[in-house]
């Protein structure tokens, strides 16, 4: 009996190590920056985030000033989502997504089950990019794929920026889709300034 208990403990330790390795590989494959590879939700996560993980809407928009934990939280949510659903993900900044569109290398943003689009609003705005963002959000929603957006702008301010240059019909469609996202305001002091 003692030998079986020892083997069981070894097996459990192996399983924990294997799960951690698989989780880290998924995060690397998703191109999560190294400082967020092990991001996880804790007891201080806003309830709206935990609710979203239980019953995801089309997406999640995390707004707030710099340094309030938006990117960390987005990566933690993506890590948890990929872990529980055993699926692929993709992390990109808005600037990098814009570059990928220009180079026609944005396919993984469309096909991954969940993506993080970080720092929306930091890129140089133009009509073409707003159209590309609409295309991305529309495609992901129509296929049931989840999108997490982080931005320093308020929900209303980022929406106004996204609609610039779009015709009225496309702007109305974009607004309608973004209303299906869960918006969470992240508050606090800049954690990077400590």
């Amino acid at each position: 009996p003692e030998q079986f208990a020892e083997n069981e403990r070894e097996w459990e330790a192996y399983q924990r190590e294997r799960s951690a390795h698989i989780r880290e590989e998924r995060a690397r494959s998703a191109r999560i920056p190294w400082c967020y590879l092990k991001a996880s939700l804790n007891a201080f996560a806003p309830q709206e985030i935990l609710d979203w993980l239980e019953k995801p809407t089309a997406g999640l928009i995390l707004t707030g000033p710099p340094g309030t934990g938006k990117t960390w939280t987005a990566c933690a949510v993506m890590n948890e989502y990929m872990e529980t659903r055993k699926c692929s993900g993709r992390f990109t900044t808005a600037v990098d997504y814009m570059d990928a569109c220009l180079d026609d290398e944005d396919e993984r943003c469309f096909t991954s089950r969940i993506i993080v689009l970080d720092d929306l609003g930091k890129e140089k705005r133009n009509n073409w990019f707003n159209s590309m963002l609409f295309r991305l959000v529309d495609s992901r929603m129509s296929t049931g794929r989840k999108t997490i957006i982080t931005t320093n702008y308020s929900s209303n301010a980022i929406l106004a920026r996204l609609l610039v240059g779009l015709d009225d019909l496309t702007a109305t469609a974009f607004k309608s889709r973004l209303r299906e996202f869960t918006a969470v305001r992240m508050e606090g002091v800049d954690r990077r300034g400590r």
Side-chain angles (χ1 to χ4, degrees):
E2 201 172 292
Q3 182 182 5
F4 292 123
E6 188 174 319
N7 287 341
E8 189 171 322
R9 283 190 297 275
E10 286 177 12
W11 176 250
E12 288 171 0
Y14 167 77
Q15 289 290 61
R16 280 192 304 276
E17 187 177 310
R18 185 172 184 274
S19 290
H21 176 73
I22 290 170
R23 180 181 171 120
E24 194 168 312
E25 283 305 308
R26 257 193 210 106
R28 285 186 204 285
S29 174
R31 292 190 177 174
I32 294 176
W34 70 268
C35 56
Y36 303 115
L37 279 177
K38 296 185 180 187
S40 61
L41 296 172
N42 58 33
F44 301 108
Q47 187 60 46
E48 301 99 325
I49 302 283
L50 302 174
D51 293 344
W52 187 88
L53 274 167
E54 285 292 314
K55 191 174 178 188
T57 58
L60 195 56
I61 299 178
L62 304 177
T63 66
T68 54
K70 296 177 301 296
T71 302
W72 175 274
T73 302
C75 290
V77 169
M78 186 164 70
N79 280 334
E80 181 71 21
Y81 191 91
M82 290 188 304
E83 174 76 15
T84 58
R85 290 163 177 85
K86 309 294 185 235
C87 66
S88 65
R90 183 57 141 200
F91 177 96
T92 188
T93 64
V95 172
D96 288 344
Y97 176 67
M98 187 173 187
D99 289 344
C101 290
L102 287 168
D103 296 336
D104 202 25
E105 296 176 359
D106 60 340
E107 187 60 31
R108 281 225 28 217
C109 290
F110 286 89
T111 59
S112 295
R113 291 273 307 276
I114 185 167
I115 65 166
V116 169
L117 185 61
D118 193 38
D119 275 335
L120 188 60
K122 297 278 175 81
E123 70 289 340
K124 184 177 180 189
R125 310 294 317 158
N126 63 44
N127 300 352
W128 172 83
F129 186 62
N130 287 353
S131 295
M132 296 308 291
L133 278 174
F134 173 76
R135 180 177 154 246
L136 177 68
V137 169
D138 183 56
S139 173
R140 294 189 60 75
M141 285 183 72
S142 67
T143 56
R145 290 169 165 76
K146 307 305 177 197
T147 305
I148 302 172
I149 295 170
T150 71
T151 183
N152 294 134
Y153 291 90
S154 69
S155 295
N156 289 336
I158 196 64
L159 185 59
R161 286 178 63 86
L162 294 174
L163 302 181
V164 170
L166 297 178
D167 62 84
D168 288 344
L169 196 55
T170 304
T172 301
F174 206 172
K175 259 196 274 193
S176 174
R177 282 158 182 76
L178 290 175
R179 279 191 198 113
E180 295 194 31
F181 280 52
T182 300
V184 178
R185 178 85 180 156
M186 306 289 288
E187 298 289 348
V189 297
D190 186 340
R191 297 174 188 170
R192 292 186 200 107
R194 291 186 202 176

